[in-house]
Amino acid sequence: MSDDLEIEFFFDIASPYSYLASTRIDRLEAETGLAARWRPFLLGGVFKATGNSPPAQVRPKARYMLEDLKRWADHYGVDFEMPAKFPINSLSTQRALVAAGELEAETLPAFAEHLYRAYWTDGRDVSEPDTIAEVADAVSLPADEIVERLDAPDIKETLRSITDEAVDRGAFGAPTFFVGDEMFWGNDRLDFLCEAADAKTGG
Amino acid sequence: MSDDLEIEFFFDIASPYSYLASTRIDRLEAETGLAARWRPFLLGGVFKATGNSPPAQVRPKARYMLEDLKRWADHYGVDFEMPAKFPINSLSTQRALVAAGELEAETLPAFAEHLYRAYWTDGRDVSEPDTIAEVADAVSLPADEIVERLDAPDIKETLRSITDEAVDRGAFGAPTFFVGDEMFWGNDRLDFLCEAADAKTGG
């Protein structure tokens, strides 16, 4: 009854709660019967456009977040290590994801998952073009082509336009999900997302 | 094995997520076997001390919060209406709770629950001494005495010291829970709280 309904997942590799959520996408698809659409956006651009700020800027919140992230990782049974370099400027990383999506849409999720693990479990600096190329290569994407396109005007413009779209639709942080016009913010709202998907699909 | 372990619930009547959490305290006690200790603090003081800011200050976040609060209220099966007057300065309200707690500790939870409902379901201005008195009266607390004590130095000092204690222990928002030295922030972390309580009590 809702063949065109999907789960849109706006994500940034720099966002730890987006990493956690990324480990649940397969499960979300199975539970809802909906396909997920991975949409790389620039969280820094979202903060700038909305006047929001990174949670870790408040010192006690940053301390608590670290505990909270570990609790979620344990709860999900996934690895998590705070990277030595945090935060990173994810502009090149997100552009690489956009470039990958244009070259091979079906490989975008695997590329994103590998980048997430490289940063949030292995502590690699995924803002570096060399690391991006290495990860692209690991999922059989044309690494050279992706790195060459990091400054291509159409890639820059597409990343900007995905970010603007998310902001226009109400996003102010990451991860941000949409099911139709219903928005869900945060790794901790996946249950609500599933309920809303069920209500829409009659599932 | 843990007779002195309790669930500390730091709350402010002005905080909608604290209202939601307040409706789950009985259930938390039942699930964990631990008693809850209601601790009125001043969220404005916490924000000031930590450099944190109210979430509703970011406009799209405020819009989303309204949806999110309704989802939680539906999920819990409780009423929720955004009050006409929001935010309120909860200084008198929180002082009244401190005064009530000193007069009759066992009535503090009922007083808080009635204040929460007065504000978050009936839209009453619970920063007004007349409304505070009316609610105190409804739970058979000495309303006149409580209102008279709103400016008493020891009440002011106690509210300040509870707030300082919360900040010293890591709080930056509301609701904030502690089970021993483990902190949980937000109505959306009650499951983690229960897990931690079980781990501590062997439950």
Side-chain angles (χ1 to χ4, degrees), chain B residues 143-185:
Chain B
D144 292 346
E145 200 174 336
I146 284 172
V147 170
E148 269 162 31
R149 302 205 67 201
L150 291 181
D151 291 314
D154 64 314
I155 296 299
K156 290 183 183 182
E157 180 47 37
T158 303
L159 179 59
R160 245 190 314 256
S161 107
I162 298 172
T163 305
D164 289 348
E165 182 198 325
V167 169
D168 287 346
R169 292 168 71 185
F172 52 85
T176 296
F177 293 86
F178 288 91
V179 178
D181 56 4
E182 279 197 79
M183 189 175 96
F184 302 87
W185 170 55

Tab-separated table of all heavy atoms in Angstrom, chain B residues 143-185:
chain	number	residue	atom	x	y	z
B	143	ALA	N	-0.917	25.185	53.080
B	143	ALA	CA	-0.662	26.093	51.962
B	143	ALA	C	-0.089	27.435	52.429
B	143	ALA	O	0.875	27.952	51.842
B	143	ALA	CB	-1.949	26.308	51.166
B	144	ASP	N	-0.690	28.002	53.472
B	144	ASP	CA	-0.235	29.323	53.934
B	144	ASP	C	1.222	29.274	54.375
B	144	ASP	O	2.025	30.151	54.037
B	144	ASP	CB	-1.092	29.811	55.112
B	144	ASP	CG	-2.519	30.119	54.677
B	144	ASP	OD1	-2.745	30.202	53.435
B	144	ASP	OD2	-3.397	30.257	55.549
B	145	GLU	N	1.551	28.246	55.107
B	145	GLU	CA	2.907	28.116	55.610
B	145	GLU	C	3.909	27.979	54.460
B	145	GLU	O	4.990	28.581	54.489
B	145	GLU	CB	2.983	26.885	56.526
B	145	GLU	CG	4.163	26.904	57.457
B	145	GLU	CD	4.118	25.730	58.465
B	145	GLU	OE1	3.009	25.202	58.738
B	145	GLU	OE2	5.197	25.351	58.941
B	146	ILE	N	3.536	27.208	53.450
B	146	ILE	CA	4.435	27.020	52.305
B	146	ILE	C	4.646	28.337	51.565
B	146	ILE	O	5.775	28.708	51.241
B	146	ILE	CB	3.902	25.899	51.388
B	146	ILE	CG1	4.183	24.545	52.049
B	146	ILE	CG2	4.530	25.967	49.997
B	146	ILE	CD1	3.569	23.357	51.370
B	147	VAL	N	3.565	29.046	51.317
B	147	VAL	CA	3.684	30.318	50.590
B	147	VAL	C	4.483	31.335	51.410
B	147	VAL	O	5.293	32.089	50.856
B	147	VAL	CB	2.292	30.851	50.189
B	147	VAL	CG1	2.392	32.281	49.664
B	147	VAL	CG2	1.661	29.942	49.133
B	148	GLU	N	4.278	31.331	52.712
B	148	GLU	CA	5.046	32.246	53.563
B	148	GLU	C	6.554	31.960	53.502
B	148	GLU	O	7.365	32.856	53.677
B	148	GLU	CB	4.618	32.105	55.036
B	148	GLU	CG	3.506	33.060	55.437
B	148	GLU	CD	2.839	32.575	56.735
B	148	GLU	OE1	3.532	31.943	57.569
B	148	GLU	OE2	1.621	32.819	56.886
B	149	ARG	N	6.877	30.715	53.258
B	149	ARG	CA	8.297	30.332	53.291
B	149	ARG	C	9.013	30.492	51.947
B	149	ARG	O	10.194	30.165	51.849
B	149	ARG	CB	8.450	28.892	53.811
B	149	ARG	CG	7.844	28.698	55.213
B	149	ARG	CD	8.486	27.551	55.924
B	149	ARG	NE	9.886	27.838	56.221
B	149	ARG	CZ	10.817	26.923	56.466
B	149	ARG	NH1	10.496	25.646	56.428
B	149	ARG	NH2	12.070	27.267	56.724
B	150	LEU	N	8.299	30.984	50.928
B	150	LEU	CA	8.924	31.086	49.597
B	150	LEU	C	10.161	31.971	49.597
B	150	LEU	O	11.047	31.785	48.782
B	150	LEU	CB	7.911	31.591	48.559
B	150	LEU	CG	6.772	30.622	48.214
B	150	LEU	CD1	5.845	31.230	47.160
B	150	LEU	CD2	7.316	29.280	47.725
B	151	ASP	N	10.198	32.944	50.500
B	151	ASP	CA	11.373	33.820	50.550
B	151	ASP	C	12.229	33.584	51.795
B	151	ASP	O	13.110	34.396	52.099
B	151	ASP	CB	10.947	35.292	50.469
B	151	ASP	CG	10.410	35.615	49.085
B	151	ASP	OD1	11.067	35.207	48.103
B	151	ASP	OD2	9.340	36.227	48.988
B	152	ALA	N	11.980	32.494	52.473
B	152	ALA	CA	12.770	32.211	53.682
B	152	ALA	C	14.206	31.858	53.298
B	152	ALA	O	14.433	31.068	52.370
B	152	ALA	CB	12.135	31.056	54.464
B	153	PRO	N	15.181	32.452	53.982
B	153	PRO	CA	16.589	32.219	53.634
B	153	PRO	C	16.986	30.741	53.633
B	153	PRO	O	17.747	30.307	52.755
B	153	PRO	CB	17.353	32.986	54.727
B	153	PRO	CG	16.389	34.021	55.195
B	153	PRO	CD	15.029	33.413	55.072
B	154	ASP	N	16.480	29.968	54.576
B	154	ASP	CA	16.913	28.561	54.601
B	154	ASP	C	16.347	27.780	53.419
B	154	ASP	O	16.998	26.865	52.896
B	154	ASP	CB	16.536	27.896	55.935
B	154	ASP	CG	15.040	27.827	56.129
B	154	ASP	OD1	14.343	28.846	55.880
B	154	ASP	OD2	14.528	26.751	56.513
B	155	ILE	N	15.157	28.142	52.962
B	155	ILE	CA	14.566	27.468	51.791
B	155	ILE	C	15.356	27.831	50.531
B	155	ILE	O	15.710	26.966	49.720
B	155	ILE	CB	13.074	27.868	51.637
B	155	ILE	CG1	12.264	27.384	52.841
B	155	ILE	CG2	12.493	27.326	50.321
B	155	ILE	CD1	12.259	25.885	53.035
B	156	LYS	N	15.622	29.116	50.377
B	156	LYS	CA	16.444	29.564	49.238
B	156	LYS	C	17.766	28.813	49.218
B	156	LYS	O	18.228	28.332	48.181
B	156	LYS	CB	16.773	31.069	49.373
B	156	LYS	CG	15.605	31.999	49.183
B	156	LYS	CD	16.127	33.453	49.278
B	156	LYS	CE	14.996	34.458	49.171
B	156	LYS	NZ	15.500	35.844	49.214
B	157	GLU	N	18.385	28.725	50.407
B	157	GLU	CA	19.697	28.106	50.513
B	157	GLU	C	19.632	26.607	50.192
B	157	GLU	O	20.513	26.062	49.532
B	157	GLU	CB	20.246	28.338	51.931
B	157	GLU	CG	21.621	27.749	52.178
B	157	GLU	CD	22.626	28.071	51.070
B	157	GLU	OE1	22.589	29.199	50.531
B	157	GLU	OE2	23.418	27.173	50.722
B	158	THR	N	18.580	25.955	50.674
B	158	THR	CA	18.468	24.518	50.397
B	158	THR	C	18.284	24.257	48.904
B	158	THR	O	18.911	23.347	48.338
B	158	THR	CB	17.306	23.893	51.201
B	158	THR	OG1	17.525	24.154	52.592
B	158	THR	CG2	17.221	22.387	50.986
B	159	LEU	N	17.456	25.050	48.241
B	159	LEU	CA	17.262	24.867	46.797
B	159	LEU	C	18.591	25.079	46.059
B	159	LEU	O	18.948	24.311	45.159
B	159	LEU	CB	16.190	25.826	46.259
B	159	LEU	CG	15.923	25.728	44.744
B	159	LEU	CD1	15.472	24.318	44.354
B	159	LEU	CD2	14.878	26.760	44.301
B	160	ARG	N	19.307	26.127	46.473
B	160	ARG	CA	20.613	26.375	45.854
B	160	ARG	C	21.552	25.192	46.074
B	160	ARG	O	22.286	24.783	45.183
B	160	ARG	CB	21.248	27.642	46.452
B	160	ARG	CG	21.410	28.770	45.449
B	160	ARG	CD	22.257	29.896	46.000
B	160	ARG	NE	21.893	30.281	47.358
B	160	ARG	CZ	21.193	31.383	47.680
B	160	ARG	NH1	20.784	32.210	46.757
B	160	ARG	NH2	20.912	31.661	48.929
B	161	SER	N	21.513	24.655	47.282
B	161	SER	CA	22.492	23.599	47.580
B	161	SER	C	22.144	22.277	46.880
B	161	SER	O	23.039	21.537	46.455
B	161	SER	CB	22.676	23.463	49.098
B	161	SER	OG	22.073	22.308	49.585
B	162	ILE	N	20.856	21.993	46.698
B	162	ILE	CA	20.473	20.791	45.926
B	162	ILE	C	20.912	20.966	44.469
B	162	ILE	O	21.438	20.043	43.835
B	162	ILE	CB	18.947	20.526	46.000
B	162	ILE	CG1	18.510	20.254	47.441
B	162	ILE	CG2	18.567	19.350	45.094
B	162	ILE	CD1	16.991	20.163	47.628
B	163	THR	N	20.709	22.192	43.955
B	163	THR	CA	21.097	22.481	42.565
B	163	THR	C	22.607	22.357	42.387
B	163	THR	O	23.093	21.721	41.437
B	163	THR	CB	20.607	23.891	42.171
B	163	THR	OG1	19.200	23.976	42.415
B	163	THR	CG2	20.886	24.192	40.704
B	164	ASP	N	23.344	22.943	43.328
B	164	ASP	CA	24.813	22.843	43.275
B	164	ASP	C	25.276	21.395	43.348
B	164	ASP	O	26.209	20.990	42.656
B	164	ASP	CB	25.442	23.619	44.446
B	164	ASP	CG	25.301	25.129	44.274
B	164	ASP	OD1	24.934	25.577	43.167
B	164	ASP	OD2	25.548	25.857	45.263
B	165	GLU	N	24.632	20.638	44.214
B	165	GLU	CA	25.009	19.231	44.346
B	165	GLU	C	24.831	18.488	43.013
B	165	GLU	O	25.719	17.730	42.586
B	165	GLU	CB	24.168	18.544	45.432
B	165	GLU	CG	24.567	17.081	45.626
B	165	GLU	CD	23.513	16.256	46.362
B	165	GLU	OE1	22.835	16.784	47.270
B	165	GLU	OE2	23.363	15.069	45.994
B	166	ALA	N	23.686	18.733	42.369
B	166	ALA	CA	23.428	18.068	41.087
B	166	ALA	C	24.506	18.434	40.067
B	166	ALA	O	25.041	17.572	39.360
B	166	ALA	CB	22.037	18.428	40.568
B	167	VAL	N	24.839	19.723	40.003
B	167	VAL	CA	25.863	20.187	39.058
B	167	VAL	C	27.220	19.562	39.404
B	167	VAL	O	27.939	19.080	38.518
B	167	VAL	CB	25.938	21.727	39.050
B	167	VAL	CG1	27.160	22.213	38.281
B	167	VAL	CG2	24.665	22.324	38.460
B	168	ASP	N	27.545	19.541	40.687
B	168	ASP	CA	28.817	18.941	41.111
B	168	ASP	C	28.912	17.477	40.707
B	168	ASP	O	29.993	16.962	40.416
B	168	ASP	CB	28.980	19.023	42.641
B	168	ASP	CG	29.292	20.448	43.095
B	168	ASP	OD1	29.635	21.282	42.228
B	168	ASP	OD2	29.171	20.723	44.307
B	169	ARG	N	27.763	16.807	40.696
B	169	ARG	CA	27.773	15.383	40.353
B	169	ARG	C	27.648	15.140	38.861
B	169	ARG	O	27.596	13.992	38.419
B	169	ARG	CB	26.650	14.669	41.125
B	169	ARG	CG	26.924	14.633	42.632
B	169	ARG	CD	25.704	14.194	43.415
B	169	ARG	NE	25.399	12.775	43.224
B	169	ARG	CZ	24.313	12.188	43.733
B	169	ARG	NH1	23.435	12.902	44.436
B	169	ARG	NH2	24.101	10.909	43.521
B	170	GLY	N	27.543	16.230	38.085
B	170	GLY	CA	27.589	16.061	36.627
B	170	GLY	C	26.343	16.459	35.859
B	170	GLY	O	26.312	16.374	34.630
B	171	ALA	N	25.292	16.907	36.574
B	171	ALA	CA	24.047	17.253	35.873
B	171	ALA	C	24.209	18.500	35.010
B	171	ALA	O	24.981	19.398	35.351
B	171	ALA	CB	22.918	17.475	36.875
B	172	PHE	N	23.502	18.525	33.900
B	172	PHE	CA	23.506	19.690	33.006
B	172	PHE	C	22.118	19.956	32.448
B	172	PHE	O	21.930	20.861	31.634
B	172	PHE	CB	24.513	19.481	31.867
B	172	PHE	CG	24.309	18.168	31.163
B	172	PHE	CD1	23.381	18.060	30.151
B	172	PHE	CD2	25.011	17.033	31.553
B	172	PHE	CE1	23.160	16.841	29.513
B	172	PHE	CE2	24.800	15.809	30.925
B	172	PHE	CZ	23.874	15.718	29.905
B	173	GLY	N	21.135	19.150	32.835
B	173	GLY	CA	19.775	19.298	32.324
B	173	GLY	C	18.798	18.565	33.221
B	173	GLY	O	19.163	18.125	34.320
B	174	ALA	N	17.548	18.394	32.738
B	174	ALA	CA	16.527	17.723	33.531
B	174	ALA	C	15.612	16.907	32.627
B	174	ALA	O	15.386	17.282	31.484
B	174	ALA	CB	15.702	18.749	34.299
B	175	PRO	N	15.090	15.797	33.128
B	175	PRO	CA	15.363	15.242	34.445
B	175	PRO	C	16.746	14.591	34.499
B	175	PRO	O	17.249	14.114	33.501
B	175	PRO	CB	14.280	14.169	34.603
B	175	PRO	CG	14.054	13.681	33.199
B	175	PRO	CD	14.168	14.925	32.351
B	176	THR	N	17.307	14.595	35.712
B	176	THR	CA	18.557	13.885	35.937
B	176	THR	C	18.344	12.868	37.058
B	176	THR	O	17.810	13.207	38.109
B	176	THR	CB	19.683	14.857	36.313
B	176	THR	OG1	19.926	15.730	35.209
B	176	THR	CG2	20.977	14.108	36.635
B	177	PHE	N	18.728	11.655	36.773
B	177	PHE	CA	18.602	10.565	37.746
B	177	PHE	C	19.983	10.081	38.173
B	177	PHE	O	20.921	10.093	37.371
B	177	PHE	CB	17.887	9.364	37.117
B	177	PHE	CG	16.452	9.599	36.774
B	177	PHE	CD1	16.085	10.157	35.562
B	177	PHE	CD2	15.448	9.252	37.671
B	177	PHE	CE1	14.746	10.371	35.235
B	177	PHE	CE2	14.104	9.459	37.362
B	177	PHE	CZ	13.760	10.017	36.137
B	178	PHE	N	20.048	9.642	39.397
B	178	PHE	CA	21.236	8.912	39.845
B	178	PHE	C	20.807	7.600	40.477
B	178	PHE	O	19.818	7.558	41.221
B	178	PHE	CB	22.024	9.701	40.900
B	178	PHE	CG	22.759	10.889	40.355
B	178	PHE	CD1	22.157	12.140	40.328
B	178	PHE	CD2	24.047	10.759	39.860
B	178	PHE	CE1	22.823	13.240	39.811
B	178	PHE	CE2	24.726	11.853	39.353
B	178	PHE	CZ	24.118	13.106	39.326
B	179	VAL	N	21.562	6.555	40.178
B	179	VAL	CA	21.482	5.307	40.934
B	179	VAL	C	22.898	5.115	41.444
B	179	VAL	O	23.802	4.784	40.667
B	179	VAL	CB	21.036	4.128	40.058
B	179	VAL	CG1	21.014	2.835	40.873
B	179	VAL	CG2	19.657	4.402	39.458
B	180	GLY	N	23.093	5.390	42.732
B	180	GLY	CA	24.462	5.440	43.235
B	180	GLY	C	25.184	6.569	42.521
B	180	GLY	O	24.686	7.698	42.457
B	181	ASP	N	26.339	6.259	41.946
B	181	ASP	CA	27.069	7.327	41.249
B	181	ASP	C	26.850	7.314	39.740
B	181	ASP	O	27.500	8.070	39.013
B	181	ASP	CB	28.567	7.257	41.576
B	181	ASP	CG	29.145	5.887	41.231
B	181	ASP	OD1	28.404	5.042	40.680
B	181	ASP	OD2	30.330	5.654	41.517
B	182	GLU	N	25.941	6.478	39.286
B	182	GLU	CA	25.653	6.463	37.841
B	182	GLU	C	24.554	7.457	37.511
B	182	GLU	O	23.475	7.426	38.103
B	182	GLU	CB	25.229	5.063	37.398
B	182	GLU	CG	26.408	4.144	37.166
B	182	GLU	CD	26.009	2.927	36.344
B	182	GLU	OE1	25.890	3.048	35.117
B	182	GLU	OE2	25.795	1.874	36.947
B	183	MET	N	24.834	8.311	36.537
B	183	MET	CA	23.893	9.357	36.170
B	183	MET	C	23.165	9.001	34.885
B	183	MET	O	23.756	8.412	33.975
B	183	MET	CB	24.645	10.676	35.979
B	183	MET	CG	23.735	11.863	35.807
B	183	MET	SD	24.672	13.430	35.726
B	183	MET	CE	24.796	13.634	33.946
B	184	PHE	N	21.895	9.364	34.848
B	184	PHE	CA	21.072	9.161	33.652
B	184	PHE	C	20.334	10.448	33.372
B	184	PHE	O	19.653	10.978	34.243
B	184	PHE	CB	20.075	8.009	33.870
B	184	PHE	CG	20.770	6.726	34.205
B	184	PHE	CD1	21.094	6.428	35.524
B	184	PHE	CD2	21.156	5.857	33.202
B	184	PHE	CE1	21.777	5.267	35.832
B	184	PHE	CE2	21.848	4.695	33.507
B	184	PHE	CZ	22.163	4.396	34.829
B	185	TRP	N	20.484	10.940	32.167
B	185	TRP	CA	19.834	12.198	31.803
B	185	TRP	C	18.702	11.929	30.825
B	185	TRP	O	18.922	11.302	29.794
B	185	TRP	CB	20.851	13.149	31.158
B	185	TRP	CG	20.222	14.361	30.542
B	185	TRP	CD1	19.397	15.253	31.164
B	185	TRP	CD2	20.362	14.813	29.190
B	185	TRP	NE1	19.026	16.239	30.275
B	185	TRP	CE2	19.602	15.984	29.055
B	185	TRP	CE3	21.058	14.337	28.078
B	185	TRP	CZ2	19.504	16.704	27.854
B	185	TRP	CZ3	20.974	15.038	26.883
B	185	TRP	CH2	20.218	16.209	26.786
